[in-house]
Amino acid sequence: MALMKSWVASANSPNTDFPLNNLPYGVFSCGNDTMPRCGVAIGDMIFDLFKAESDGLLGDLAPVFDVPYWNDFMALGPDAWAGLRATLMDLLKDGAEERPDYLVAQSDVRMVLPFQVAEYTDFYASKDHATNVGTMFRGPENALPPNWLSIPIGYNGRASSVVVSGTDVRRPWGQIKGPDDDLPRFEPCKRFDLELEFGAIVGQPSDGPVTVAEADAMIFGYVLLNDWSARDIQAWEYQPLGPFQAKATATTISPWIVTKEALEPFRTATPDRERDLLPYLQEPGPMLYDIDLDVALAPDGGPETVLSRTNYSVMYYSSAQQLAHHTTSGCPMRVGDLLGSGTISGPQKHQRGALLELTWGGKEPVTLDGGEIRTFLEDGDTLTLRGAAKGDGYRVGFGDCAGKVLAAFAAPYSR
Amino acid sequence: MALMKSWVASANSPNTDFPLNNLPYGVFSCGNDTMPRCGVAIGDMIFDLFKAESDGLLGDLAPVFDVPYWNDFMALGPDAWAGLRATLMDLLKDGAEERPDYLVAQSDVRMVLPFQVAEYTDFYASKDHATNVGTMFRGPENALPPNWLSIPIGYNGRASSVVVSGTDVRRPWGQIKGPDDDLPRFEPCKRFDLELEFGAIVGQPSDGPVTVAEADAMIFGYVLLNDWSARDIQAWEYQPLGPFQAKATATTISPWIVTKEALEPFRTATPDRERDLLPYLQEPGPMLYDIDLDVALAPDGGPETVLSRTNYSVMYYSSAQQLAHHTTSGCPMRVGDLLGSGTISGPQKHQRGALLELTWGGKEPVTLDGGEIRTFLEDGDTLTLRGAAKGDGYRVGFGDCAGKVLAAFAAPYSR
């Protein structure tokens, strides 16, 4: 597919994340607004959907943009999703009536969380990541758990921890026991890390098990996701019931929900199975996407260094498979549930999506372009995830997923 | 403390769960109501708070009972909590103006979830339970994990799974691998179990670490909680990231929130520490409660057998300690968060709070009063948790926390 032209000039650049082909959904706040508004990114502008709906440009949709989140629209279902996309294509395409009054410059707004996160689940679906982490935490002989090739392993995370790109992240305190300590101490995390992930947003509810095809149809769109991780807290706490406080400080998502429709041209299949999947997990078609991803780190006031370059297509399980598995027990899924893919690491060293893997548990520090050395994150570091699917002369991007690390409180209760 | 008399005669029985001393909060639905209403249990009646608020009986509270859940009231904070309790004491005490128009018989209503569950976290705070389960899952040498005496171990559960007492629970499907199987099968759970727990409801938010005393002040009240558990699914899935689908089918809570104020006379200390706790977990006063608990099982159409009798005071960590630990990472807590205590098992066999422990993994079946034998739950079984703090001639009870097991779907997608 080629670039689709818009009357918004900046949307026609081959370098924009937001051509007409994309039309991702966010929520923005302009200075003195009483309420943030839903909008769609087009080039370096935002088309104001609150105003468009108020003025009757969106047809006979129920009012769903009188709230500062996309949940009400998601709840309308796939026909409404397709309908709005078609309407927006007509409104914004080259040759359509130009409506500059509906545009706001992205540089003039602050983005807020695009949806109310109902619940957040995090998975563990990159085989290279699972193997690397397993080797470090449990040794090479126990690296990949016996269930890993059968189950899209996941755990429930904390929805209240989800923040939008641009939100500072304060280094956590926690219980930490070093390898030479008899007992844990309560102190600030010393091995604070990122995890490069892809987040799927559930746009339709379920109240019983669903197939992979049904699960795919329930997904509204995708965001980039940084699952900030306190490795020293994690190592001591995670047995036997899994990660808890190590993952609860913050989870940053990109501000724009890229819809499933926008990603359709980039569908790609999961890798060959090393063990046959049970039928309920088998995919009726390609369920991953070919999306280039990278992770960049900038020290306070310093230049940015790209730490990792990978692609979402390396994952062993798709979001649709993860969602289908999530429903097997009868677990009700709700509009606004967020599923993290798990850290996206490829087989090569430069494709690893976490410092834990890039520095092999801190043993192999990385040198940044400005000369600084990192094993884990330092205060003042800004982490930025970026991603885009690359078409013929255009890209479907997500916008930056960024966060800066603040120093821990001097004492945990001195906030 | 002695029984406090009410003009509602049934509240003066020494056997009622709901004397004036208690005043627990729920939400009830009467047949054709358009919206369920908040109410307070008094004897075998409910005092209608929607009507009381509408008629101005509750003073200058903001309208908080025009919604079918207690979250809006909880958000008002501890002064409002104390104020409403004092108002209700005055309205319902012996000698006050009798207002039968505000009463509805409990037998005439259906109870619904008393609050919107923001997020649900489950802990693991009974040392006997952790030791028993650890012995069965990992062997006696690894029974109690090394972190257990330092951390109130917890994991995030699934809020969407929480249902009110009386809701049927359908046996789940899941991935199950028997000890002699090479690979898992996808089939209905064969080891479906209960867990007797106590649930704490967070009534005030936090956005950074809180002390144990602050955590205690954030707790609005308590419910009984049955953490339905699929043991065969759990055994195969839980390594390395913890329980997931094994715990996501349903979590039943009792319909009445017993307030912290009602339980004040029954506070009791946690047991002696076998290892000094880190200072952030040390308690400024008694934070457990002396509450007798039992678990009863009734086969379909058969008599009820009490399987277990224990007491909440056996726990090693209190809800306030668990909540304080939950905030260490900066994890934001929200109004309506629910914290499960973990299975409440005492040191004696009849004090065990799950069939897994009572039947030692199915090896020691229990015989019910009607002669039937159980290792795990059978279709048609009704499980009922009950609990009460016992005062001088009165009890502060929770009402039944009950659920009936339905047969699994013939195939998971045939619902």
Side-chain angles (χ1 to χ4, degrees), chain B residues 22 59 68 93 117 165 189 222 264 325 347 360 391 399 410 413:
Chain B
N22 191 348
K93 70 185 177 191
V117 183
S165 177
C189 170
Y222 295 90
E264 279 304 319
H325 179 70
W360 206 252
Y413 311 108

Side-chain angles (χ1 to χ4, degrees), chain A residues 117-124 138 145-148 150-161 170-175 177 182-186 206-211 214 233-234 236-250 275-276 278-281 322 324-334 337 339 409 412-413 415, chain B residues 117-124 138 145-148 150-161 170-175 177 182-186 206-211 214 233-234 236-250 275-276 278-281 322 324-334 337 339 409 412-413 415:
Chain A
V117 182
E119 298 192 60
Y120 166 52
T121 310
D122 194 30
F123 287 87
Y124 192 57
R138 291 178 294 277
N147 53 18
W148 198 91
S150 296
I151 302 183
I153 294 283
Y155 67 99
N156 297 296
R158 181 79 193 175
S160 68
S161 77
R170 188 170 294 282
R171 180 183 297 275
W173 285 67
Q175 280 202 25
K177 191 178 91 64
D182 287 335
L183 290 172
R185 292 184 289 244
F186 189 60
S206 65
D207 65 355
V210 303
T211 65
E214 288 168 339
I233 297 172
Q234 185 177 356
W236 169 236
E237 79 172 359
Y238 91 107
Q239 288 286 15
L241 300 185
F244 183 48
Q245 290 304 286
K247 301 283 196 169
T249 300
R275 177 193 296 169
D276 283 346
L278 285 161
Y280 83 93
L281 283 173
Q322 292 168 335
H325 179 70
H326 209 320
T327 67
T328 48
S329 65
C331 178
M333 303 304 296
R334 298 189 290 196
D337 283 337
L339 310 187
F409 290 118
Y413 310 109
R415 65 185 187 285
Chain B
V117 183
E119 298 193 59
Y120 166 51
T121 310
D122 194 30
F123 287 87
Y124 192 56
R138 292 178 294 277
N147 54 16
W148 198 91
S150 296
I151 301 183
I153 295 283
Y155 66 99
N156 297 296
R158 182 79 192 174
S160 67
S161 77
R170 189 170 294 282
R171 180 184 299 274
W173 284 67
Q175 280 202 26
K177 190 178 92 65
D182 288 335
L183 289 172
R185 291 185 290 243
F186 189 61
S206 65
D207 64 356
V210 303
T211 64
E214 288 168 339
I233 297 171
Q234 185 176 358
W236 169 235
E237 79 171 359
Y238 92 107
Q239 287 287 12
L241 300 185
F244 183 48
Q245 290 305 286
K247 300 284 193 165
T249 300
R275 176 194 295 170
D276 284 345
L278 285 161
Y280 83 93
L281 283 173
Q322 292 168 333
H325 179 70
H326 209 320
T327 68
T328 48
S329 66
C331 178
M333 304 303 297
R334 298 189 291 196
D337 283 336
L339 310 187
F409 290 117
Y413 311 108
R415 66 187 186 282

Side-chain angles (χ1 to χ4, degrees), chain A residues 101 333 406:
Chain A
D101 290 356
M333 303 304 296
L406 301 184

Side-chain angles (χ1 to χ4, degrees), chain B residues 381-399:
Chain B
D381 285 354
T382 294
L383 253 292
T384 306
L385 314 183
R386 296 188 182 90
K390 310 261 174 79
D392 180 13
Y394 75 102
R395 41 191 286 145
V396 169
F398 290 76

Side-chain angles (χ1 to χ4, degrees), chain A residues 103-389:
Chain A
L103 297 181
V104 183
Q106 287 174 32
S107 55
D108 288 345
V109 307
R110 184 175 60 84
M111 300 303 295
V112 302
L113 262 189
F115 65 106
Q116 291 184 320
V117 182
E119 298 192 60
Y120 166 52
T121 310
D122 194 30
F123 287 87
Y124 192 57
S126 150
K127 189 178 172 205
D128 291 298
H129 171 72
T131 304
N132 289 338
V133 172
T135 301
M136 281 181 272
F137 276 51
R138 291 178 294 277
E141 66 285 1
N142 296 310
L144 203 66
N147 53 18
W148 198 91
L149 293 172
S150 296
I151 302 183
I153 294 283
Y155 67 99
N156 297 296
R158 181 79 193 175
S160 68
S161 77
V162 179
V163 296
V164 74
S165 177
T167 307
D168 293 336
V169 175
R170 188 170 294 282
R171 180 183 297 275
W173 285 67
Q175 280 202 25
I176 296 167
K177 191 178 91 64
D180 302 326
D181 296 335
D182 287 335
L183 290 172
R185 292 184 289 244
F186 189 60
E187 59 188 19
C189 170
K190 289 179 179 56
R191 292 162 72 94
F192 200 46
D193 199 359
L194 76 135
E195 288 192 334
L196 167 65
E197 301 197 19
F198 203 56
I201 299 160
V202 176
Q204 286 284 281
S206 65
D207 65 355
V210 303
T211 65
V212 174
E214 288 168 339
D216 187 57
M218 288 165 63
I219 294 174
F220 177 65
Y222 294 90
V223 289
L224 303 181
L225 185 151
N226 183 354
D227 176 28
W228 301 90
S229 298
R231 300 300 182 191
D232 37 11
I233 297 172
Q234 185 177 356
W236 169 236
E237 79 172 359
Y238 91 107
Q239 288 286 15
L241 300 185
F244 183 48
Q245 290 304 286
K247 301 283 196 169
T249 300
T251 306
T252 303
I253 63 171
S254 53
W256 296 105
I257 304 171
V258 175
T259 63
K260 197 171 47 185
E261 291 103 314
L263 293 172
E264 279 303 319
F266 308 100
R267 277 192 185 260
T268 184
T270 41
D272 286 346
R273 299 292 136 185
E274 300 175 34
R275 177 193 296 169
D276 283 346
L277 290 179
L278 285 161
Y280 83 93
L281 283 173
Q282 292 173 11
E283 297 169 296
M287 295 275 171
L288 291 178
Y289 300 96
D290 177 4
I291 298 170
D292 286 338
L293 300 163
D294 61 53
V295 178
L297 188 158
D300 210 1
E304 190 176 271
T305 301
V306 173
L307 296 178
S308 176
R309 292 186 196 279
T310 185
N311 190 291
Y312 176 59
S313 62
V314 302
M315 303 304 273
Y316 196 81
Y317 295 105
S318 65
S319 297
Q321 286 174 313
Q322 292 168 335
L323 177 53
H325 179 70
H326 209 320
T327 67
T328 48
S329 65
C331 178
M333 303 304 296
R334 298 189 290 196
V335 173
D337 283 337
L338 173 64
L339 310 187
S341 61
T343 306
I344 303 167
S345 293
Q348 296 185 268
K349 185 168 179 180
H350 74 271
Q351 294 176 316
R352 295 174 183 169
L355 280 167
L356 178 69
E357 297 168 79
L358 287 162
T359 71
W360 205 252
K363 291 180 185 147
E364 302 171 14
V366 293
T367 302
L368 305 181
D369 291 350
E372 290 193 37
I373 284 177
R374 286 290 179 279
T375 50
F376 291 95
L377 297 172
E378 301 285 339
D379 296 342
D381 286 354
T382 295
L383 254 292
T384 305
L385 315 182
R386 296 189 181 91

Side-chain angles (χ1 to χ4, degrees), chain B residues 208-387:
Chain B
V210 303
T211 64
V212 174
E214 288 168 339
D216 187 57
M218 287 165 63
I219 294 173
F220 178 65
Y222 295 90
V223 289
L224 303 181
L225 186 151
N226 183 355
D227 176 29
W228 301 89
S229 299
R231 301 300 181 191
D232 37 10
I233 297 171
Q234 185 176 358
W236 169 235
E237 79 171 359
Y238 92 107
Q239 287 287 12
L241 300 185
F244 183 48
Q245 290 305 286
K247 300 284 193 165
T249 300
T251 307
T252 303
I253 62 172
S254 54
W256 296 106
I257 304 171
V258 175
T259 64
K260 197 170 48 185
E261 292 102 313
L263 292 173
E264 279 304 319
F266 307 100
R267 277 192 185 261
T268 182
T270 41
D272 286 344
R273 299 293 136 186
E274 299 175 36
R275 176 194 295 170
D276 284 345
L277 290 179
L278 285 161
Y280 83 93
L281 283 173
Q282 292 173 11
E283 296 170 297
M287 295 275 172
L288 292 178
Y289 300 96
D290 178 4
I291 298 170
D292 286 338
L293 300 163
D294 61 54
V295 178
L297 188 158
D300 210 1
E304 190 176 272
T305 301
V306 173
L307 296 178
S308 175
R309 292 186 196 279
T310 184
N311 191 291
Y312 176 59
S313 62
V314 301
M315 303 304 272
Y316 196 80
Y317 294 105
S318 65
S319 297
Q321 287 175 312
Q322 292 168 333
L323 177 53
H325 179 70
H326 209 320
T327 68
T328 48
S329 66
C331 178
M333 304 303 297
R334 298 189 291 196
V335 173
D337 283 336
L338 173 64
L339 310 187
S341 62
T343 307
I344 303 167
S345 292
Q348 295 184 267
K349 185 166 179 180
H350 74 271
Q351 296 175 316
R352 297 175 183 169
L355 280 167
L356 179 69
E357 297 169 77
L358 287 162
T359 70
W360 206 252
K363 291 180 187 150
E364 301 170 16
V366 293
T367 303
L368 305 181
D369 291 350
E372 291 195 36
I373 284 177
R374 286 291 179 279
T375 50
F376 291 95
L377 297 172
E378 301 284 340
D379 296 342
D381 285 354
T382 294
L383 253 292
T384 306
L385 314 183
R386 296 188 182 90

Side-chain angles (χ1 to χ4, degrees), chain B residues 182-196:
Chain B
D182 288 335
L183 289 172
R185 291 185 290 243
F186 189 61
E187 59 188 20
C189 170
K190 289 179 178 56
R191 293 162 73 93
F192 200 45
D193 199 0
L194 76 134
E195 289 192 334
L196 166 66

